[in-house]
Amino acid sequence: MFKRKILFLSFALLLSACAPVERELPVEIVADDASFFESDWIFASVERVVDGDTIRIKDVNLDYVSDLDLVKELSEVGPSVRVRFLAVDTPEDTNVKQLYGRESTERVQELLKSGYVVIEIDENADFDRYDRLLGHIFTVDGVNVQEVLLREGLARVAYLYDDYKYVDDYFEAEAEALAKGLNVHSIEGYVTERGFDMSVVE
């Protein structure tokens, strides 16, 4: 299952009428799994989807982040934060265009069409070398975005520098797409350990 047993309620962006404009992102959480509170969670609105494995967020709510160093670092980043989806890689869809890059981007846009995102910070990763926030990405109704992309053959499991949460689920989802020959797995040799090889695409 790629849907978490967590229900996120009252996830609405409220703008106060005072000047300067202050943004708050109040969230009411109902969780049937006590382990929810063992992780750090970030709630934010989606500024834009960059591509299939990167988004920009704003109006960041850090009320459910216990790591004070992370709170401080995020507070200093600015109003807009780049977020990289942890443990997955999708074909390029920015300056370089790769096969299924556009499809992966559009799928993320569809999944996050509510305009909001929920990010679980893994205890073994927070920022990458490009100062992008790393995390497991969820829709407001608890769907794991990475797992959807992998299960639909729009991503590969990648960049495993530590023992990350959900990796077993990610490998299982990737194996399912590989067995069905979906999208990136439909062309032999396209998915490699280093990314996606456009030279095998006719």
Side-chain angles (χ1 to χ4, degrees), residues 12-199:
L13 179 64
L14 300 181
L15 302 180
S16 82
C18 61
V21 174
E22 295 180 0
R23 292 175 171 81
E24 295 181 359
L25 200 59
V27 179
E28 179 186 351
I29 297 176
V30 178
D32 62 1
D33 184 353
S35 64
F36 170 83
F37 297 101
E38 296 173 3
S39 299
D40 285 334
W41 295 85
I42 291 172
F43 301 86
S45 55
V46 179
E47 182 175 84
R48 73 183 180 95
V49 174
V50 178
D51 60 18
D53 55 33
T54 308
I55 59 175
R56 275 196 173 274
I57 60 173
K58 60 182 181 179
D59 307 314
V60 179
N61 182 303
L62 301 174
D63 289 350
Y64 294 92
V65 179
S66 60
D67 184 339
L68 298 182
D69 290 333
L70 180 58
V71 171
K72 182 176 185 294
E73 194 162 355
L74 281 169
S75 299
E76 293 173 350
V77 168
S80 177
V81 180
R82 280 183 83 197
V83 180
R84 180 66 163 75
F85 298 7
L86 184 62
V88 302
D89 179 36
T90 63
E92 294 296 321
D93 187 39
T94 51
N95 296 329
V96 176
K97 302 292 183 182
Q98 293 180 315
L99 188 63
Y100 296 109
R102 172 77 339 219
E103 288 85 346
S104 64
T105 301
E106 290 175 350
R107 188 65 174 111
V108 174
Q109 290 171 338
E110 181 183 0
L111 288 164
L112 301 180
K113 63 184 178 182
S114 70
Y116 303 110
V117 65
V118 183
I119 302 168
E120 182 177 3
I121 303 301
D122 196 283
E123 65 178 359
N124 292 319
D126 47 21
F127 287 90
D128 67 8
R129 60 179 177 169
Y130 302 108
D131 295 323
R132 296 176 298 190
L133 178 68
L134 299 170
H136 303 284
I137 312 303
F138 291 86
T139 67
V140 293
D141 56 356
V143 174
N144 185 309
V145 174
Q146 278 109 309
E147 196 167 344
V148 172
L149 292 171
L150 290 164
R151 197 173 301 279
E152 295 181 1
L154 294 172
R156 68 185 184 100
V157 177
Y159 309 120
L160 301 180
Y161 302 119
D162 212 319
D163 184 19
Y164 303 135
K165 192 173 181 179
Y166 306 121
V167 166
D168 288 345
D169 294 333
Y170 293 167
F171 274 123
E172 180 182 335
E174 182 182 48
E176 183 178 316
L178 177 60
K180 294 178 179 177
L182 298 179
N183 295 318
V184 298
H185 302 293
S186 65
I187 300 172
E188 186 176 355
Y190 183 51
V191 180
T192 74
E193 291 185 357
R194 298 179 60 86
F196 303 91
D197 184 0
M198 284 291 289
S199 70

